[in-house]
Amino acid sequence: MPPVDLTEQAQQVRDLAHGFEALRARVRGVSYTPGTDALRQIGPLLLTTQDLTATLLVRLGALANSPYTSIPGSHASLECLSSLVLASTLAGNDLANALHANPLEGAPFPGYRADNASDRLARHAEAIPHMTGHLTDAAHQLDLSATGCHYVATGIIRDLADAQANQVKSAHQTAASALSPAQYDALKALSAGQGRLYESPRRGLGVTRVVTHDGTRVSIATFRALVKRRLVTVDTSTSLFHGQKITVTGDGQRAQAQHRPAAAPAALAAPVPAASRAQKARS
């Protein structure tokens, strides 16, 4: 089975919205005379509603069985589509009720009095308000169906854009979380828990340095990068001249555990001495 194109699915749902809008306009503008003419005018509207409902159900099934369900926000779209199946079905039911209220003409059983013109006019006058009410309700349900389809189509596109943006953001965060060799060495040395930050006067200027338990050299630039990324913290309750304790945070421990050293370049072949080359040439 080919993969589902969610952008195409969104466009198909939007096409459905246009279909419901066009049908709503037809229902609102329908002109009829009770009887055979009403059946001829309203019957096709009912058939079109049923076709749109069937298509809507297909769209719901396609999305419910697609990767869209794993995207945040998809649940609301699927719930909305499910409710639209009901709304469009109710529109069809209203149109069917309009047809049911429509008085049709036909000959009675033998022995019964046939309708005259005044009887038919009275029956038509009684039916028209009922038919008009059902047609108004149908137009309202079709309006809800069109609005809901537009909402779902927009929601699918928005959810896809958000998911793609989150993927890019996650990739950037992953890249940003990678440690440089100097940062990894610094974290490894500071993880022993004896690292301290000192400031000592030199030629009238304060010089800040990091001291580790094993003497690993940690530059101030590297240390500041670790602090900025919240991989280490400093106990500022003590003086820099007495030394402030450096602690590796939980994020720092995780970054250290997940660190993957860069692959070492392939070793270059050792040059062959000239004497060896000459000897190989003679042999």
Side-chain angles (χ1 to χ4, degrees):
M1 180 180 295
V4 176
D5 185 341
L6 294 180
T7 302
E8 177 63 24
Q9 288 292 322
Q11 183 57 50
Q12 290 174 344
V13 173
R14 197 173 299 282
D15 292 341
L16 264 177
H18 297 321
F20 280 118
E21 288 171 343
L23 180 58
R24 176 194 59 196
R26 290 174 58 192
V27 171
R28 286 178 174 174
V30 66
S31 177
Y32 62 91
T33 300
T36 304
D37 180 63
L39 178 61
R40 185 165 52 248
Q41 300 298 330
I42 299 175
L45 302 178
L46 174 57
L47 294 176
T48 303
T49 304
Q50 292 172 336
D51 288 342
L52 290 174
T53 302
T55 304
L56 183 59
L57 192 58
V58 171
R59 298 279 77 79
L60 174 60
L63 287 171
N65 292 282
S66 74
Y68 179 57
T69 57
S70 64
I71 297 177
S74 59
H75 182 265
S77 295
L78 294 176
E79 286 288 320
C80 184
L81 274 182
S82 179
S83 69
L84 297 182
V85 172
L86 174 60
S88 61
T89 301
L90 290 176
N93 185 63
D94 290 326
L95 291 171
N97 278 324
L99 289 176
H100 182 256
N102 177 43
L104 295 173
E105 301 172 6
F109 287 110
Y112 288 85
R113 184 180 68 86
D115 291 340
N116 54 35
S118 61
D119 291 334
R120 287 194 297 272
L121 287 176
R123 194 162 60 248
H124 290 180
E126 181 182 357
I128 287 176
H130 297 290
M131 296 175 68
T132 300
H134 291 311
L135 291 172
T136 300
D137 291 341
H140 174 66
Q141 295 296 339
L142 292 171
D143 186 46
L144 291 178
S145 300
T147 301
C149 283
H150 279 302
Y151 171 82
V152 171
T154 301
I156 293 173
I157 298 300
R158 182 192 60 243
D159 294 339
L160 285 175
D162 290 346
Q164 291 170 355
N166 288 334
Q167 288 178 351
V168 172
K169 181 179 178 181
S170 178
H172 287 170
Q173 289 176 340
T174 300
S177 64
L179 298 174
S180 68
Q183 291 171 350
Y184 174 75
D185 291 342
L187 280 177
K188 184 177 179 181
L190 294 171
S191 294
Q194 299 179 24
R196 290 188 175 273
L197 183 66
Y198 288 93
E199 185 173 299
S200 57
R202 180 184 297 177
R203 296 181 181 178
L205 299 176
V207 177
T208 306
R209 59 193 176 90
V210 177
V211 176
T212 63
H213 77 292
D214 60 356
T216 299
R217 184 180 181 278
V218 178
S219 70
I220 291 301
T222 298
F223 174 73
R224 288 173 178 168
L226 296 178
V227 172
K228 183 177 181 180
R229 294 173 58 178
R230 299 180 181 178
L231 302 182
V232 297
T233 59
V234 181
D235 181 8
T236 58
S237 62
T238 59
S239 169
L240 277 170
F241 295 103
H242 292 89
Q244 296 177 344
K245 184 179 179 181
I246 301 171
T247 302
V248 177
T249 65
D251 288 341
Q253 293 173 355
R254 283 187 291 273
Q256 183 182 350
Q258 297 170 1
H259 176 68
R260 296 291 184 271
L268 297 177
V272 180
S276 299
R277 292 198 300 268
Q279 183 176 0
K280 289 182 179 180
R282 287 194 298 270
S283 62

